[in-house]
Amino acid sequence: MANSKVVEGNIRQKNKALIFDAAKEEFVTYGFKGASIKRIAERAAIPRSNIHYYFQDKTDLYQQLLSNIIALWNTDYDTLNANQPPKVALSAYIRAKVMHSKNDPYSSRIFASELIHGAPILNNYLNTDFKVWLKSKVAIINTWVDQGLINKVNPHHLLFLIWSSTQHYADFNVQVLAALEKNEMLDDDYEAVVTSLTEIILKGCGID
């Protein structure tokens, strides 16, 4: 019985991941209002009924997709902790955020679009879990300041700067490519972004 539940759980996880990937492309292309379950099913190459097996409707799918994106950001891309010196922690955080823009730009664009439209789905999250997470990161940065490890920077604005500068390469990729006169950004381009942003931000914090 236990093994069957594990197998069922793995299948569920795999199928939802497949649907999420298709949904990201659909929501980025058409926005929430223009997106359709029918096209998401076609993108995922699965019957439409399979989507309704896991999600009540488009709104439920969108809500769960946003929750999935946030959960990923708060685990895989969360390197800001008190167990590392600021240079190591900030450098790792900047790299992780840039690489997220490179490897999963759709997630960044969907999140940005949600906020631009007033965060109707994420409003509760922004006033609860997000504030708890943010306060913990602000406390870490303030500790570095108190210990004289970095300059007396405003923790909130430091985080805003990192978020905006790294996610810019996903959210405004068309503008970036036009400015750089490129058809696409390659691995070396993203490494150059990491190097530049890391140097600029660390120097602003007074870190060699």
Side-chain angles (χ1 to χ4, degrees):
M1 179 67 70
N3 288 336
S4 63
K5 287 185 176 180
V6 170
V7 172
E8 181 180 351
N10 290 338
I11 293 175
R12 180 183 182 87
Q13 186 175 12
K14 181 179 179 180
N15 287 342
K16 289 188 72 172
L18 179 67
I19 294 170
F20 280 151
D21 285 342
K24 286 179 186 179
E25 187 174 355
E26 178 71 9
F27 287 128
V28 165
T29 303
Y30 295 99
F32 174 75
K33 290 185 177 180
S36 76
I37 293 294
K38 178 178 181 294
R39 281 197 300 266
I40 292 173
E42 292 172 351
R43 292 179 188 277
I46 60 174
R48 181 171 177 171
S49 59
N50 284 26
I51 295 181
H52 288 294
Y53 179 79
Y54 295 106
F55 307 98
Q56 295 179 1
D57 51 28
K58 184 173 69 172
T59 299
D60 183 38
L61 171 54
Y62 181 67
Q63 290 175 325
Q64 290 197 43
L65 174 60
L66 283 171
S67 296
N68 181 264
I69 290 171
I70 292 168
L72 178 65
W73 287 359
N74 289 347
T75 53
D76 293 356
Y77 300 100
D78 187 7
T79 65
L80 289 180
N81 60 75
N83 297 324
Q84 295 179 321
K87 181 176 182 178
V88 174
L90 289 171
S91 296
Y93 190 53
I94 294 167
R95 168 172 286 278
K97 293 291 290 181
V98 171
M99 289 303 137
H100 178 71
S101 287
K102 170 181 178 287
N103 298 321
D104 192 11
Y106 285 170
S107 288
S108 183
R109 292 172 195 169
I110 290 170
F111 184 82
S113 178
E114 168 69 10
L115 297 187
I116 289 171
H117 288 87
I121 302 299
L122 288 182
N123 185 61
N124 182 64
Y125 162 76
L126 291 175
N127 288 288
T128 53
D129 293 349
F130 170 71
K131 286 189 175 181
V132 173
W133 179 90
L134 181 60
K135 286 180 180 178
S136 70
K137 304 312 170 186
V138 167
I140 291 171
I141 297 172
N142 277 330
T143 298
W144 292 337
V145 171
D146 293 340
Q147 294 175 346
L149 298 176
I150 65 174
N151 291 339
K152 292 183 179 180
V153 299
N154 182 301
H156 289 89
H157 296 312
L158 174 58
L159 290 171
F160 297 160
L161 173 62
I162 295 174
W163 298 343
S164 61
S165 62
T166 56
Q167 290 172 221
H168 181 86
Y169 294 90
D171 302 343
F172 299 98
N173 184 255
V174 173
Q175 182 189 50
V176 170
L177 293 179
L180 298 179
E181 298 183 349
K182 292 177 174 290
N183 293 321
E184 64 176 329
M185 289 184 66
L186 304 177
D187 291 345
D188 288 346
D189 296 314
Y190 282 101
E191 288 298 331
V193 172
V194 171
T195 299
S196 295
L197 293 183
T198 301
E199 181 177 1
I200 293 167
I201 293 171
L202 292 189
K203 282 188 175 181
C205 291
I207 302 174
D208 293 335

